[in-house]
Amino acid sequence: MSRVLILFYSRYGNTASMARQIARGVEEIPDAEAVMRTVRPLSSEDQDLPEDGPPHAEVEDLSACDALILGSPTRFGNMAAPLKAFLDQTSSVWMNGGLEGKPAAVFTSTGSLHGGQETTLISMMLPLFHHGMLMVGLPYSNPELMATESGGTPYGPSHVAGPHSDRKLTEHEKSLCRALGSRVARLARQLE
């Protein structure tokens, strides 16, 4: 069984919605399991998990996975601080090569169409390259990349949540999330 860790931070629930769609895509692949984890917020006002939310990630979750998919809302064209803070704690995994040679991918949610989706995705890729992971994107054989009028990039799925973070995922965005989950899970199975 391939364990695909979907590790994300979500402040308003949009990135979490994407994570659930990605998990659906992972579990379309036989013998693949989606494991969802979130990171601890940095501010004291956000310390509690929602009752139905996934558990907080521990650094050990990284070494136990066969693939990793990171998600974050955009913060000024970069990943959110709570996800960056978690990644900054992973030097022990890096030193032991715990993620080396495993597939990895990224996804994001932004407030506006030009809210820094691609730079945020790239910012999440950088530490994964340092961990020796194999980056997986979305090829244009996914027709939704050419048809979308909201989120979606070859670097990974994205969602335009709107200025009030209240827009639901479009069908194109959902489809791209599921496609990424399936693609990463399939690669993890092939690399076993």
Side-chain angles (χ1 to χ4, degrees):
M1 181 71 79
S2 291
R3 291 174 49 92
V4 178
L5 177 61
I6 303 167
L7 176 61
F8 66 94
Y9 174 71
S10 186
R11 176 75 189 247
Y12 297 108
N14 295 296
T15 308
S17 292
M18 295 179 76
R20 286 189 292 276
Q21 291 295 321
I22 290 168
R24 284 182 57 193
V26 166
E27 295 188 344
E28 290 173 1
I29 303 304
D31 297 321
E33 173 190 16
V35 177
M36 292 179 48
R37 296 288 184 268
T38 189
V39 296
R40 287 175 175 78
L42 298 180
S43 65
S44 59
E45 65 195 44
D46 294 329
Q47 289 297 320
D48 294 330
L49 277 177
E51 288 182 21
D52 60 349
H56 286 135
E58 302 297 337
V59 172
E60 297 78 27
D61 291 325
L62 297 175
S63 297
C65 74
D66 297 301
L68 174 63
I69 305 176
L70 285 183
S72 173
T74 294
R75 295 293 186 260
F76 303 104
N78 205 332
M79 75 179 95
L83 184 60
K84 175 72 167 71
F86 179 84
L87 292 172
D88 285 347
Q89 300 173 41
T90 64
S91 57
S92 62
V93 178
W94 171 74
M95 291 177 69
N96 293 325
L99 291 173
E100 196 170 315
K102 295 178 181 181
V106 293
F107 64 101
T108 191
S109 177
T110 61
S112 68
L113 185 58
H114 303 289
Q117 295 177 11
E118 292 180 346
T119 56
T120 299
L121 294 169
I122 291 168
S123 77
M124 288 187 285
M125 289 179 184
L126 297 177
L128 303 180
F129 281 125
H130 280 262
H131 274 285
M133 299 196 82
L134 308 172
M135 292 308 305
V136 178
L138 286 168
Y140 276 93
S141 56
N142 290 292
E144 298 86 357
L145 281 179
M146 292 298 285
T148 185
E149 294 181 7
S150 52
T153 80
Y155 304 104
S158 59
H159 166 60
V160 180
H164 303 291
S165 299
D166 57 356
R167 291 186 190 155
K168 302 293 181 201
L169 295 177
T170 68
E171 290 307 312
H172 286 148
E173 291 170 340
K174 289 177 185 178
S175 180
L176 290 169
C177 287
R178 289 190 304 270
L180 183 74
S182 295
R183 188 171 165 81
V184 170
R186 191 175 309 108
L187 286 169
R189 295 290 300 138
Q190 291 172 351
L191 290 171
E192 283 184 338

